[in-house]
mmCIF file of all heavy atoms in Angstrom:
data_model
loop_
_atom_site.group_PDB
_atom_site.id
_atom_site.type_symbol
_atom_site.label_atom_id
_atom_site.label_comp_id
_atom_site.label_asym_id
_atom_site.label_seq_id
_atom_site.Cartn_x
_atom_site.Cartn_y
_atom_site.Cartn_z
ATOM 1 N N THR A 674 -22.606 44.422 -117.252
ATOM 2 C CA THR A 674 -22.280 43.823 -118.543
ATOM 3 C C THR A 674 -21.084 42.890 -118.434
ATOM 4 O O THR A 674 -21.010 41.867 -119.100
ATOM 5 C CB THR A 674 -21.991 44.930 -119.572
ATOM 6 O OG1 THR A 674 -23.160 45.743 -119.698
ATOM 7 C CG2 THR A 674 -21.636 44.358 -120.930
ATOM 8 N N ASN A 675 -20.142 43.235 -117.579
ATOM 9 C CA ASN A 675 -18.960 42.405 -117.366
ATOM 10 C C ASN A 675 -19.221 41.245 -116.423
ATOM 11 O O ASN A 675 -18.711 40.139 -116.620
ATOM 12 C CB ASN A 675 -17.824 43.251 -116.777
ATOM 13 C CG ASN A 675 -16.972 43.905 -117.846
ATOM 14 O OD1 ASN A 675 -16.365 43.227 -118.660
ATOM 15 N ND2 ASN A 675 -16.943 45.232 -117.850
ATOM 16 N N THR A 676 -20.002 41.486 -115.380
ATOM 17 C CA THR A 676 -20.118 40.540 -114.273
ATOM 18 C C THR A 676 -21.551 40.063 -114.132
ATOM 19 O O THR A 676 -22.441 40.872 -113.843
ATOM 20 C CB THR A 676 -19.676 41.209 -112.954
ATOM 21 O OG1 THR A 676 -18.372 41.781 -113.135
ATOM 22 C CG2 THR A 676 -19.648 40.208 -111.814
ATOM 23 N N PRO A 677 -21.814 38.771 -114.310
ATOM 24 C CA PRO A 677 -23.178 38.272 -114.125
ATOM 25 C C PRO A 677 -23.708 38.626 -112.728
ATOM 26 O O PRO A 677 -23.077 38.334 -111.720
ATOM 27 C CB PRO A 677 -23.017 36.754 -114.281
ATOM 28 C CG PRO A 677 -21.802 36.589 -115.139
ATOM 29 C CD PRO A 677 -20.881 37.704 -114.739
ATOM 30 N N GLY A 678 -24.836 39.281 -112.709
ATOM 31 C CA GLY A 678 -25.400 39.709 -111.429
ATOM 32 C C GLY A 678 -24.837 41.013 -110.928
ATOM 33 O O GLY A 678 -25.335 41.566 -109.944
ATOM 34 N N GLY A 679 -23.780 41.501 -111.560
ATOM 35 C CA GLY A 679 -23.243 42.806 -111.197
ATOM 36 C C GLY A 679 -22.394 42.844 -109.947
ATOM 37 O O GLY A 679 -22.027 43.929 -109.481
ATOM 38 N N ASN A 680 -22.045 41.669 -109.377
ATOM 39 C CA ASN A 680 -21.272 41.678 -108.131
ATOM 40 C C ASN A 680 -20.298 40.505 -108.120
ATOM 41 O O ASN A 680 -20.704 39.349 -108.009
ATOM 42 C CB ASN A 680 -22.211 41.600 -106.922
ATOM 43 C CG ASN A 680 -21.477 41.768 -105.610
ATOM 44 O OD1 ASN A 680 -20.572 41.007 -105.285
ATOM 45 N ND2 ASN A 680 -21.881 42.760 -104.831
ATOM 46 N N ILE A 681 -19.008 40.790 -108.220
ATOM 47 C CA ILE A 681 -17.998 39.731 -108.311
ATOM 48 C C ILE A 681 -17.898 38.933 -107.017
ATOM 49 O O ILE A 681 -17.558 37.739 -107.035
ATOM 50 C CB ILE A 681 -16.623 40.332 -108.706
ATOM 51 C CG1 ILE A 681 -15.617 39.222 -109.031
ATOM 52 C CG2 ILE A 681 -16.090 41.252 -107.625
ATOM 53 C CD1 ILE A 681 -15.995 38.354 -110.198
ATOM 54 N N SER A 682 -18.210 39.540 -105.879
ATOM 55 C CA SER A 682 -18.115 38.814 -104.608
ATOM 56 C C SER A 682 -19.045 37.609 -104.572
ATOM 57 O O SER A 682 -18.700 36.563 -104.016
ATOM 58 C CB SER A 682 -18.431 39.745 -103.427
ATOM 59 O OG SER A 682 -17.351 40.618 -103.183
ATOM 60 N N ARG A 683 -20.203 37.753 -105.165
ATOM 61 C CA ARG A 683 -21.147 36.623 -105.172
ATOM 62 C C ARG A 683 -20.629 35.476 -106.027
ATOM 63 O O ARG A 683 -20.921 34.313 -105.766
ATOM 64 C CB ARG A 683 -22.507 37.087 -105.695
ATOM 65 C CG ARG A 683 -23.201 38.083 -104.777
ATOM 66 C CD ARG A 683 -24.524 38.557 -105.359
ATOM 67 N NE ARG A 683 -24.960 39.777 -104.699
ATOM 68 C CZ ARG A 683 -25.673 40.724 -105.272
ATOM 69 N NH1 ARG A 683 -26.043 40.591 -106.544
ATOM 70 N NH2 ARG A 683 -26.029 41.801 -104.606
ATOM 71 N N LEU A 684 -19.857 35.796 -107.074
ATOM 72 C CA LEU A 684 -19.379 34.752 -107.974
ATOM 73 C C LEU A 684 -18.215 33.961 -107.390
ATOM 74 O O LEU A 684 -18.049 32.785 -107.688
ATOM 75 C CB LEU A 684 -18.955 35.366 -109.314
ATOM 76 C CG LEU A 684 -20.031 36.129 -110.095
ATOM 77 C CD1 LEU A 684 -19.484 36.543 -111.454
ATOM 78 C CD2 LEU A 684 -21.290 35.287 -110.283
ATOM 79 N N VAL A 685 -17.387 34.599 -106.572
ATOM 80 C CA VAL A 685 -16.184 33.920 -106.072
ATOM 81 C C VAL A 685 -16.378 33.326 -104.680
ATOM 82 O O VAL A 685 -15.462 32.699 -104.140
ATOM 83 C CB VAL A 685 -14.983 34.898 -106.045
ATOM 84 C CG1 VAL A 685 -14.720 35.472 -107.418
ATOM 85 C CG2 VAL A 685 -15.180 36.003 -105.022
ATOM 86 N N ALA A 686 -17.550 33.474 -104.108
ATOM 87 C CA ALA A 686 -17.752 33.176 -102.686
ATOM 88 C C ALA A 686 -17.481 31.723 -102.304
ATOM 89 O O ALA A 686 -17.239 31.434 -101.125
ATOM 90 C CB ALA A 686 -19.178 33.555 -102.280
ATOM 91 N N ASN A 687 -17.521 30.809 -103.243
ATOM 92 C CA ASN A 687 -17.342 29.391 -102.891
ATOM 93 C C ASN A 687 -15.918 28.873 -103.078
ATOM 94 O O ASN A 687 -15.677 27.676 -102.910
ATOM 95 C CB ASN A 687 -18.317 28.529 -103.697
ATOM 96 C CG ASN A 687 -19.742 28.672 -103.199
ATOM 97 O OD1 ASN A 687 -19.975 28.851 -102.005
ATOM 98 N ND2 ASN A 687 -20.694 28.628 -104.112
ATOM 99 N N PHE A 688 -14.962 29.755 -103.422
ATOM 100 C CA PHE A 688 -13.571 29.304 -103.456
ATOM 101 C C PHE A 688 -13.131 28.944 -102.043
ATOM 102 O O PHE A 688 -13.246 29.759 -101.122
ATOM 103 C CB PHE A 688 -12.661 30.402 -104.004
ATOM 104 C CG PHE A 688 -12.544 30.421 -105.497
ATOM 105 C CD1 PHE A 688 -13.334 31.264 -106.258
ATOM 106 C CD2 PHE A 688 -11.645 29.593 -106.146
ATOM 107 C CE1 PHE A 688 -13.227 31.289 -107.642
ATOM 108 C CE2 PHE A 688 -11.523 29.610 -107.531
ATOM 109 C CZ PHE A 688 -12.323 30.451 -108.285
ATOM 110 N N PRO A 689 -12.593 27.746 -101.839
ATOM 111 C CA PRO A 689 -12.159 27.374 -100.485
ATOM 112 C C PRO A 689 -10.875 28.094 -100.079
ATOM 113 O O PRO A 689 -10.123 28.590 -100.919
ATOM 114 C CB PRO A 689 -11.925 25.865 -100.598
ATOM 115 C CG PRO A 689 -11.701 25.604 -102.036
ATOM 116 C CD PRO A 689 -12.478 26.640 -102.796
ATOM 117 N N ASN A 690 -10.658 28.158 -98.789
ATOM 118 C CA ASN A 690 -9.440 28.678 -98.142
ATOM 119 C C ASN A 690 -9.317 30.194 -98.185
ATOM 120 O O ASN A 690 -8.331 30.746 -97.692
ATOM 121 C CB ASN A 690 -8.174 28.058 -98.762
ATOM 122 C CG ASN A 690 -8.164 26.547 -98.672
ATOM 123 O OD1 ASN A 690 -8.528 25.985 -97.642
ATOM 124 N ND2 ASN A 690 -7.759 25.875 -99.745
ATOM 125 N N PHE A 691 -10.295 30.882 -98.753
ATOM 126 C CA PHE A 691 -10.238 32.340 -98.876
ATOM 127 C C PHE A 691 -10.874 33.034 -97.669
ATOM 128 O O PHE A 691 -11.829 32.537 -97.076
ATOM 129 C CB PHE A 691 -11.003 32.793 -100.122
ATOM 130 C CG PHE A 691 -10.143 33.033 -101.331
ATOM 131 C CD1 PHE A 691 -9.860 31.999 -102.211
ATOM 132 C CD2 PHE A 691 -9.636 34.291 -101.600
ATOM 133 C CE1 PHE A 691 -9.084 32.217 -103.341
ATOM 134 C CE2 PHE A 691 -8.861 34.525 -102.725
ATOM 135 C CZ PHE A 691 -8.580 33.488 -103.601
ATOM 136 N N HIS A 692 -10.342 34.203 -97.358
ATOM 137 C CA HIS A 692 -11.040 35.181 -96.527
ATOM 138 C C HIS A 692 -11.678 36.197 -97.468
ATOM 139 O O HIS A 692 -11.005 36.743 -98.343
ATOM 140 C CB HIS A 692 -10.055 35.889 -95.589
ATOM 141 C CG HIS A 692 -10.626 37.109 -94.923
ATOM 142 N ND1 HIS A 692 -11.341 37.050 -93.752
ATOM 143 C CD2 HIS A 692 -10.591 38.425 -95.277
ATOM 144 C CE1 HIS A 692 -11.716 38.269 -93.393
ATOM 145 N NE2 HIS A 692 -11.277 39.121 -94.304
ATOM 146 N N PHE A 693 -12.967 36.457 -97.302
ATOM 147 C CA PHE A 693 -13.674 37.387 -98.186
ATOM 148 C C PHE A 693 -14.156 38.602 -97.408
ATOM 149 O O PHE A 693 -14.600 38.484 -96.253
ATOM 150 C CB PHE A 693 -14.889 36.705 -98.825
ATOM 151 C CG PHE A 693 -14.527 35.631 -99.814
ATOM 152 C CD1 PHE A 693 -14.657 34.293 -99.483
ATOM 153 C CD2 PHE A 693 -14.043 35.960 -101.072
ATOM 154 C CE1 PHE A 693 -14.322 33.298 -100.386
ATOM 155 C CE2 PHE A 693 -13.707 34.977 -101.985
ATOM 156 C CZ PHE A 693 -13.841 33.640 -101.646
ATOM 157 N N ALA A 694 -14.072 39.759 -98.060
ATOM 158 C CA ALA A 694 -14.639 40.975 -97.477
ATOM 159 C C ALA A 694 -15.167 41.842 -98.607
ATOM 160 O O ALA A 694 -14.512 41.991 -99.648
ATOM 161 C CB ALA A 694 -13.586 41.735 -96.684
ATOM 162 N N GLU A 695 -16.342 42.380 -98.404
ATOM 163 C CA GLU A 695 -16.918 43.353 -99.337
ATOM 164 C C GLU A 695 -17.149 44.622 -98.545
ATOM 165 O O GLU A 695 -17.771 44.589 -97.472
ATOM 166 C CB GLU A 695 -18.221 42.832 -99.937
ATOM 167 C CG GLU A 695 -18.775 43.708 -101.039
ATOM 168 C CD GLU A 695 -19.979 43.088 -101.740
ATOM 169 O OE1 GLU A 695 -20.422 41.993 -101.329
ATOM 170 O OE2 GLU A 695 -20.481 43.700 -102.706
ATOM 171 N N VAL A 696 -16.631 45.741 -99.047
ATOM 172 C CA VAL A 696 -16.577 46.936 -98.218
ATOM 173 C C VAL A 696 -16.856 48.174 -99.059
ATOM 174 O O VAL A 696 -16.627 48.183 -100.273
ATOM 175 C CB VAL A 696 -15.181 47.032 -97.535
ATOM 176 C CG1 VAL A 696 -14.081 47.241 -98.579
ATOM 177 C CG2 VAL A 696 -15.126 48.126 -96.484
ATOM 178 N N ASP A 697 -17.373 49.209 -98.399
ATOM 179 C CA ASP A 697 -17.503 50.522 -99.023
ATOM 180 C C ASP A 697 -16.102 51.116 -99.108
ATOM 181 O O ASP A 697 -15.542 51.580 -98.111
ATOM 182 C CB ASP A 697 -18.414 51.415 -98.183
ATOM 183 C CG ASP A 697 -18.571 52.811 -98.771
ATOM 184 O OD1 ASP A 697 -17.886 53.131 -99.770
ATOM 185 O OD2 ASP A 697 -19.371 53.601 -98.219
ATOM 186 N N GLY A 698 -15.518 51.083 -100.299
ATOM 187 C CA GLY A 698 -14.146 51.529 -100.472
ATOM 188 C C GLY A 698 -13.957 53.024 -100.422
ATOM 189 O O GLY A 698 -12.823 53.501 -100.519
ATOM 190 N N THR A 699 -15.035 53.770 -100.250
ATOM 191 C CA THR A 699 -14.900 55.213 -100.042
ATOM 192 C C THR A 699 -14.886 55.561 -98.559
ATOM 193 O O THR A 699 -14.723 56.728 -98.200
ATOM 194 C CB THR A 699 -16.042 55.976 -100.734
ATOM 195 O OG1 THR A 699 -17.289 55.669 -100.087
ATOM 196 C CG2 THR A 699 -16.125 55.628 -102.211
ATOM 197 N N ASP A 700 -15.061 54.559 -97.705
ATOM 198 C CA ASP A 700 -15.040 54.744 -96.249
ATOM 199 C C ASP A 700 -13.648 54.357 -95.743
ATOM 200 O O ASP A 700 -13.296 53.170 -95.720
ATOM 201 C CB ASP A 700 -16.106 53.860 -95.610
ATOM 202 C CG ASP A 700 -16.187 54.028 -94.100
ATOM 203 O OD1 ASP A 700 -15.151 54.345 -93.477
ATOM 204 O OD2 ASP A 700 -17.270 53.804 -93.528
ATOM 205 N N PRO A 701 -12.830 55.313 -95.340
ATOM 206 C CA PRO A 701 -11.452 54.999 -94.955
ATOM 207 C C PRO A 701 -11.356 54.027 -93.777
ATOM 208 O O PRO A 701 -10.528 53.102 -93.808
ATOM 209 C CB PRO A 701 -10.867 56.363 -94.585
ATOM 210 C CG PRO A 701 -11.730 57.364 -95.285
ATOM 211 C CD PRO A 701 -13.103 56.765 -95.310
ATOM 212 N N ILE A 702 -12.170 54.197 -92.776
ATOM 213 C CA ILE A 702 -12.062 53.353 -91.582
ATOM 214 C C ILE A 702 -12.521 51.932 -91.895
ATOM 215 O O ILE A 702 -11.856 50.952 -91.535
ATOM 216 C CB ILE A 702 -12.879 53.941 -90.411
ATOM 217 C CG1 ILE A 702 -12.452 55.393 -90.144
ATOM 218 C CG2 ILE A 702 -12.699 53.084 -89.172
ATOM 219 C CD1 ILE A 702 -10.977 55.591 -89.922
ATOM 220 N N ALA A 703 -13.641 51.800 -92.588
ATOM 221 C CA ALA A 703 -14.122 50.471 -92.954
ATOM 222 C C ALA A 703 -13.109 49.779 -93.871
ATOM 223 O O ALA A 703 -12.857 48.570 -93.744
ATOM 224 C CB ALA A 703 -15.478 50.586 -93.646
ATOM 225 N N SER A 704 -12.519 50.536 -94.779
ATOM 226 C CA SER A 704 -11.529 49.959 -95.696
ATOM 227 C C SER A 704 -10.303 49.476 -94.928
ATOM 228 O O SER A 704 -9.782 48.377 -95.180
ATOM 229 C CB SER A 704 -11.112 50.992 -96.746
ATOM 230 O OG SER A 704 -12.194 51.335 -97.577
ATOM 231 N N TYR A 705 -9.842 50.296 -93.981
ATOM 232 C CA TYR A 705 -8.651 49.909 -93.222
ATOM 233 C C TYR A 705 -8.928 48.662 -92.391
ATOM 234 O O TYR A 705 -8.120 47.724 -92.363
ATOM 235 C CB TYR A 705 -8.201 51.062 -92.325
ATOM 236 C CG TYR A 705 -6.983 50.713 -91.505
ATOM 237 C CD1 TYR A 705 -5.726 50.659 -92.094
ATOM 238 C CD2 TYR A 705 -7.089 50.416 -90.154
ATOM 239 C CE1 TYR A 705 -4.597 50.320 -91.363
ATOM 240 C CE2 TYR A 705 -5.969 50.080 -89.408
ATOM 241 C CZ TYR A 705 -4.723 50.032 -90.019
ATOM 242 O OH TYR A 705 -3.620 49.689 -89.280
ATOM 243 N N ASN A 706 -10.051 48.628 -91.727
ATOM 244 C CA ASN A 706 -10.373 47.456 -90.908
ATOM 245 C C ASN A 706 -10.450 46.194 -91.766
ATOM 246 O O ASN A 706 -9.967 45.126 -91.379
ATOM 247 C CB ASN A 706 -11.697 47.677 -90.172
ATOM 248 C CG ASN A 706 -11.577 48.744 -89.093
ATOM 249 O OD1 ASN A 706 -10.470 49.064 -88.638
ATOM 250 N ND2 ASN A 706 -12.705 49.318 -88.681
ATOM 251 N N ALA A 707 -11.039 46.319 -92.951
ATOM 252 C CA ALA A 707 -11.133 45.167 -93.859
ATOM 253 C C ALA A 707 -9.752 44.717 -94.315
ATOM 254 O O ALA A 707 -9.465 43.506 -94.390
ATOM 255 C CB ALA A 707 -11.999 45.522 -95.065
ATOM 256 N N MET A 708 -8.882 45.661 -94.631
ATOM 257 C CA MET A 708 -7.540 45.315 -95.098
ATOM 258 C C MET A 708 -6.707 44.677 -93.988
ATOM 259 O O MET A 708 -5.969 43.710 -94.225
ATOM 260 C CB MET A 708 -6.825 46.558 -95.638
ATOM 261 C CG MET A 708 -7.386 47.071 -96.938
ATOM 262 S SD MET A 708 -7.202 45.893 -98.311
ATOM 263 C CE MET A 708 -7.917 46.854 -99.651
#
C-alpha cells in the first residue's frame, strides 16, 4: 500500500552514484557482509 510494487529497491535503482544492496535482514552474516 505504501510502495508501488511492494519493493523500494526497485524504485530507487536508477539513482546514480549509489551502491545498492538488498539483503535478508534476519541473516546476520549476509547483513554484515552487505553493511
Side-chain angles (χ1 to χ4, degrees):
T674 300
N675 272 299
T676 307
N680 187 301
I681 189 62
S682 285
R683 294 178 197 149
L684 301 186
V685 302
N687 287 326
F688 274 96
N690 302 318
F691 263 89
H692 167 86
F693 291 105
E695 187 173 3
V696 65
D697 179 354
T699 67
D700 182 331
I702 305 306
S704 295
Y705 179 75
N706 291 340
M708 290 296 182

